[in-house]
Amino acid sequence: MDKKPDFVFNEYDRSPSRELIEKNRRRRKLRKRRLTLLGIILLIVLGYMISPLSKVMSIKVTGNSQLTKDLVVKESGITDHTYHFLLNNDTIKDNLKKTGLVTKAYVTHNILGGVSIEIQEAALVAYMELDNKTYIVTEEGKLIQVVEGMNYTGLKQIPKISGFTDIKAVEELASQYVAIPVTIRNAVSDIVYSPEKGYDDRVALILDDGKKLIVDIQGMKDTLSPSRFDYSAYMQSKSDVCVFSFEGRNLYMTKCE
């Protein structure tokens, strides 16, 4: 006769309702831990966001000689409230180039909040004084009013624009003037508004030797293009001519007195 075991496991010894309660309790504990962890993370992130550590801590500007660091930083769009981890280097570059004062920009930043901006300033090709304000023409053909932060001390060395009262006309002149051959621009000392009957938008380009090129603002770049006006050849073959006046497709020359 076999001996009966001292203990027999019966699956019904466990209460299904008790196990369900235990399972729900474990789920609540896990959910509570997750919520607690999420809360801690949110507090850390919030604390970081409102702390100075999340903002741009320092800005280094190089390559500037005519523009102050403050002006470069202002035009870059970076402020005291800028989060360094949200900085977009391409956006900063675009902001600087849109000013017309910068032709190239290189931007880097690090996780410690340091920003480095290296720029190449736009060269100036002419300037103008109007209504107690000074304007410059950049190599890209933009007319810009000189404001605080622009230290242009060598304006007397580039051509001066005079005689204009309409800024829009000067803006058109600027876009046309930068497109004419550099050999001509290098010889220009003054640009004078010189309207005539039937020609309201004419200017005289006064050369260093006193000679004049009189041309319409509209179409200046085409009129003075090498294919239509070989400047060097004319200066040699027509050395006795002091005034070259362009009227439509015609060129009228006046000899020196």
Side-chain angles (χ1 to χ4, degrees):
M1 182 176 181
D2 297 331
K3 184 178 180 181
K4 293 183 179 180
D6 296 333
F7 173 78
V8 178
F9 176 78
N10 190 324
E11 60 180 340
Y12 293 105
D13 288 345
R14 289 186 177 181
S15 171
S17 60
R18 182 179 296 277
E19 286 202 3
L20 182 61
I21 293 173
E22 183 64 24
K23 187 175 182 180
N24 288 336
R25 187 177 65 83
R26 288 196 299 269
R27 285 179 178 176
R28 286 195 297 270
K29 283 185 177 180
L30 180 59
R31 188 182 300 115
K32 185 176 180 180
R33 292 194 193 100
R34 289 175 177 174
L35 290 175
T36 301
L37 179 60
L38 179 60
I40 293 173
I41 293 174
L42 290 176
L43 286 175
I44 292 174
V45 171
L46 180 60
Y48 175 74
M49 293 285 287
I50 64 177
S51 75
L53 297 176
S54 63
K55 309 297 193 301
V56 171
M57 303 293 289
S58 65
I59 303 176
K60 180 182 179 181
V61 176
T62 57
N64 59 312
S65 60
Q66 301 177 119
L67 306 175
T68 64
K69 173 184 175 180
D70 288 344
L71 181 61
V72 174
V73 172
K74 176 183 177 182
E75 297 297 343
S76 73
I78 301 174
T79 70
D80 295 338
H81 304 291
T82 300
Y83 295 108
H84 67 78
F85 57 87
L86 295 179
L87 284 177
N88 185 303
N89 293 347
D90 290 335
T91 298
I92 297 173
K93 293 177 186 178
D94 292 340
N95 289 342
L96 291 172
K97 290 180 180 179
K98 285 178 183 177
T99 66
L101 303 171
V102 175
T103 56
K104 294 181 180 179
Y106 306 93
V107 182
T108 59
H109 67 276
N110 57 50
I111 60 175
L112 299 178
V115 180
S116 178
I117 302 174
E118 181 182 353
I119 66 170
Q120 179 176 306
E121 297 174 334
L124 308 185
V125 299
Y127 79 102
M128 178 183 70
E129 295 174 344
L130 179 65
D131 297 331
N132 297 319
K133 298 176 183 177
T134 301
Y135 298 84
I136 54 171
V137 177
T138 70
E139 61 183 306
E140 295 183 339
K142 292 188 177 183
L143 181 68
I144 301 171
Q145 182 183 341
V146 176
V147 297
E148 184 179 355
M150 301 181 191
N151 300 322
Y152 297 116
T153 57
L155 294 182
K156 301 298 182 182
Q157 300 174 8
I158 60 177
K160 181 178 181 180
I161 301 171
S162 59
F164 286 89
T165 57
D166 182 6
I167 289 295
K168 291 295 183 181
V170 183
E171 290 177 345
E172 175 62 25
L173 167 65
S175 66
Q176 290 282 330
Y177 181 71
V178 297
I180 69 176
V182 176
T183 52
I184 298 179
R185 291 209 325 253
N186 287 342
V188 175
S189 61
D190 289 278
I191 305 171
V192 182
Y193 180 50
S194 303
E196 297 177 6
K197 185 176 181 180
Y199 297 93
D200 296 331
D201 65 344
R202 291 171 70 75
V203 291
L205 305 182
I206 313 298
L207 307 184
D208 293 331
D209 58 6
K211 294 185 178 184
K212 298 180 181 179
L213 304 180
I214 301 177
V215 62
D216 292 341
I217 296 175
Q218 293 283 348
M220 178 190 294
K221 64 180 180 180
D222 295 325
T223 300
L224 297 180
S225 64
S227 61
R228 291 189 59 184
F229 180 67
D230 190 334
Y231 170 76
S232 298
Y234 270 96
M235 291 301 105
Q236 292 180 7
S237 63
K238 304 296 182 181
S239 59
D240 60 338
V241 173
C242 280
V243 180
F244 297 82
S245 181
F246 300 85
E247 298 180 13
R249 302 291 299 184
N250 300 317
L251 171 59
Y252 298 93
M253 293 176 281
T254 303
K255 291 188 176 183
C256 303
E257 297 180 355

